[in-house]
Amino acid sequence: MGRVDVYTKIEYAKLIGELAEPKDGDSVVDMAVGTGNLLLGVIENVSDPKSLKLFGFDIDKKALEESKKRLSGLDYTVEEKDSLLFFKDKKDVFDISVLNPPWNVKTTKELLKEFSIKCEILYSDWIWMLVSSNIAKRKSVVIESQSVLSRIKGEVQLRKKIVEMNIIESVILLPNDAFENAKLDSAIIVFNKNKNNDKILFVDGRVLNKNEIIEIVKNNKEVSGISKIAGLKEIRDNNFNLSPLIYINSSGSGIKIKDLFEIKTNGIKPEVFTEKKEGMIPWLTINDVKKYDGDFIKKSSYFIYEDEVMKKRVSAVPKNSLILAGRATIGKIAITNEYSAFDRGCVALIPKDKSIDPKAYLEKIRKAVLTAKSSMPGTIYKSLAKRYIENLSIDVS
């Protein structure tokens, strides 16, 4: 996905403004101000808007002019500038920062070098968030794509760094109607320099109104099925995944998938055949899983010579293993009826205890996987890779 420019609806801008907790006389910055909605949201939450010192930066001259019109009569300074690089090394410049950065802008070698980032980061979203939190003395509130909460590869390293800084106060899922010009799955991330604990509040705000979200966040409140407070240890155990549903849907009676099942991915796809011959075993595909979803796979679409399994280092699994379909059909699960290999679009779960009845866990695992998928709309299956699936919790009550 390329760059996405979206403008936050004023009702969600007001929510962001309230979460920022502005005070009369504060200095407030928006590093990607656009037409000024987020700053308008801030001024709705103070008694004397004229006491605020507002600052807006953007590279879109037309949007800046529009923001000046909308914020006329206030102490508002605008600058046509690449604020990401301008504020790169600056700290505690403003009391508050609010931000809807350009989503999914690909990084460059030059940008990563500027920020001394050595890991492989494809998009610049977390760099924007890091700078926004650095320049705020108190709070930075950012609205972003839900995908930034869970993307892997090098991006998890930067997310880890920021989590370990212990400045993330809450993560709130929003419905997909938060923007004027697009339906996109988004989340609000609240950064607080003055946190007094090492926990993060996760909220599923998709079914809540503004006042309900504010009540939960301001009271740091856990509500069954809606919000959950997680400590840094739990977040580390989940590979710094910040998708709220991962935490909200875990329960005291749950157990991690990795405690019950060995997880395998196949790696490569060798030559396969449509007819079974001597020395061959089934090669299971996503279509096989879809066909036999919820039951045993009685017949596979393809076959592979068994000696190829060792030669090509292909994963194969015993009878009674669960095969999960990925990519476009996440949530489809079937059970192997015999020793089988499987396609790269699948992940296998092998019971660690032979007495485990895979059918008894099938729906529990399906629910956990679909919950994970729903917290990361639009992602492909590599985002639900082994290290992610193994930390999903299933209910064993």
Side-chain angles (χ1 to χ4, degrees):
M1 183 184 289
R3 172 178 173 148
V4 178
D5 290 304
V6 290
Y7 299 102
T8 314
K9 287 182 179 177
I10 193 63
E11 55 263 42
Y12 289 99
K14 290 177 183 178
L15 171 61
I16 289 167
E18 190 163 355
L19 291 169
E21 297 186 289
K23 301 174 183 177
D24 287 348
D26 273 348
S27 57
V28 185
V29 66
D30 186 338
M31 294 168 54
V33 73
T35 58
N37 276 11
L38 295 190
L39 292 180
L40 286 167
V42 171
I43 68 173
E44 288 282 339
N45 289 282
V46 294
S47 59
D48 183 7
K50 291 188 176 181
S51 71
L52 297 174
K53 298 174 182 63
L54 306 174
F55 298 84
F57 297 84
D58 211 298
I59 57 172
D60 186 335
K61 188 174 182 179
K62 185 177 178 182
L64 282 175
E65 289 301 317
E66 179 64 21
S67 74
K68 284 166 69 176
K69 291 178 187 176
R70 301 178 77 195
L71 291 159
S72 63
L74 300 172
D75 184 354
Y76 177 44
T77 303
V78 300
E79 238 183 294
E80 186 180 350
K81 188 184 290 291
D82 183 345
S83 58
L84 187 64
L85 291 175
F86 178 71
F87 287 113
K88 177 174 70 77
D89 298 315
K90 295 179 173 57
K91 305 273 187 182
D92 300 331
V93 181
F94 308 94
D95 294 305
I96 289 169
S97 173
V98 289
L99 179 66
N100 174 13
W103 294 6
N104 300 329
V105 175
K106 289 191 175 181
T107 57
T108 62
K109 289 181 180 178
E110 292 74 23
L111 182 67
L112 295 178
K113 186 176 179 181
E114 283 279 353
F115 284 89
S116 302
I117 296 172
K118 296 180 180 179
C119 50
E120 180 188 349
I121 297 177
L122 185 58
Y123 301 111
S124 61
D125 303 78
W126 277 102
I127 301 176
W128 278 91
M129 285 188 268
L130 179 62
V131 173
S132 178
S133 61
N134 281 343
I135 62 175
K137 294 176 186 176
R138 298 201 314 270
K139 281 197 167 185
S140 166
V141 185
V142 183
I143 185 167
E144 255 287 4
S145 165
Q146 287 182 24
S147 64
V148 306
L149 304 174
S150 57
R151 287 199 295 241
I152 54 176
K153 289 195 173 178
E155 197 157 338
V156 76
Q157 298 303 317
L158 183 53
R159 198 163 64 240
K160 173 185 175 181
K161 174 184 174 180
I162 295 172
V163 169
E164 296 284 9
M165 288 167 65
N166 195 30
I167 57 173
I168 299 178
E169 183 175 74
S170 55
V171 179
I172 306 153
L173 294 184
L174 296 179
N176 67 358
D177 65 348
F179 304 102
E180 295 175 354
N181 54 334
K183 286 193 174 294
L184 298 167
D185 295 292
S186 61
I188 291 174
I189 303 103
V190 180
F191 300 86
N192 185 354
K193 290 273 187 68
N194 301 316
K195 270 182 73 176
N196 57 11
N197 59 56
D198 65 349
K199 302 181 187 304
I200 296 176
L201 173 68
F202 295 96
V203 182
D204 183 0
R206 298 173 303 169
V207 294
L208 303 176
N209 62 38
K210 172 179 170 287
N211 291 335
E212 290 169 332
I213 291 172
I214 291 297
E215 182 190 357
I216 288 172
V217 174
K218 287 196 171 179
N219 293 298
N220 202 33
K221 186 174 169 184
E222 286 193 333
V223 179
S224 179
I226 296 293
S227 62
K228 174 74 182 293
I229 298 168
L232 288 181
K233 183 182 183 304
E234 186 176 357
I235 294 165
R236 291 184 190 111
D237 288 345
N238 281 301
N239 197 34
F240 298 93
N241 189 310
L242 298 179
S243 297
L245 297 184
I246 298 302
Y247 302 94
I248 293 168
N249 289 288
S250 64
S251 66
S253 60
I255 188 169
K256 291 189 184 297
I257 286 177
K258 67 181 179 182
D259 295 328
L260 293 173
F261 296 88
E262 178 188 354
I263 301 166
K264 278 194 173 186
T265 54
N266 70 305
I268 62 170
K269 182 170 183 176
E271 185 179 6
V272 293
F273 304 87
T274 55
E275 296 294 328
K276 187 173 185 179
K277 297 180 182 178
E278 187 176 350
M280 286 184 169
I281 62 171
W283 176 270
L284 305 176
T285 67
I286 289 176
N287 285 334
D288 296 325
V289 178
K290 286 168 60 179
K291 182 177 179 181
Y292 297 104
D293 183 36
D295 206 346
F296 287 90
I297 299 173
K298 298 176 179 64
K299 188 174 187 294
S300 65
S301 303
Y302 296 94
F303 301 89
I304 179 178
Y305 283 102
E306 190 171 356
D307 59 4
E308 288 289 292
V309 171
M310 294 298 296
K311 189 188 302 181
K312 302 285 188 180
R313 296 185 179 178
V314 172
S315 291
V317 295
K319 180 180 177 179
N320 289 331
S321 297
L322 288 164
I323 304 292
L324 282 64
R327 300 195 175 119
T329 53
I330 294 172
K332 302 293 183 183
I333 308 175
I335 308 168
T336 56
N337 211 24
E338 58 181 303
Y339 181 67
S340 308
F342 53 93
D343 188 61
R344 69 183 69 191
C346 302
V347 172
L349 307 181
I350 308 166
K352 289 185 174 181
D353 185 336
K354 289 183 180 178
S355 67
I356 288 177
D357 176 7
K359 210 158 189 177
Y361 288 93
L362 190 146
E363 292 305 326
K364 297 176 187 293
I365 291 172
R366 188 199 305 278
K367 180 181 177 182
V369 170
L370 287 175
T371 294
K373 177 180 179 288
S374 70
S375 69
M376 299 183 298
T379 57
I380 59 173
Y381 200 72
K382 69 179 181 180
S383 293
L384 294 174
K386 177 180 177 181
R387 60 176 153 177
Y388 186 78
I389 293 174
E390 64 186 6
N391 285 311
L392 293 178
S393 292
I394 54 175
D395 187 3
V396 293
S397 58

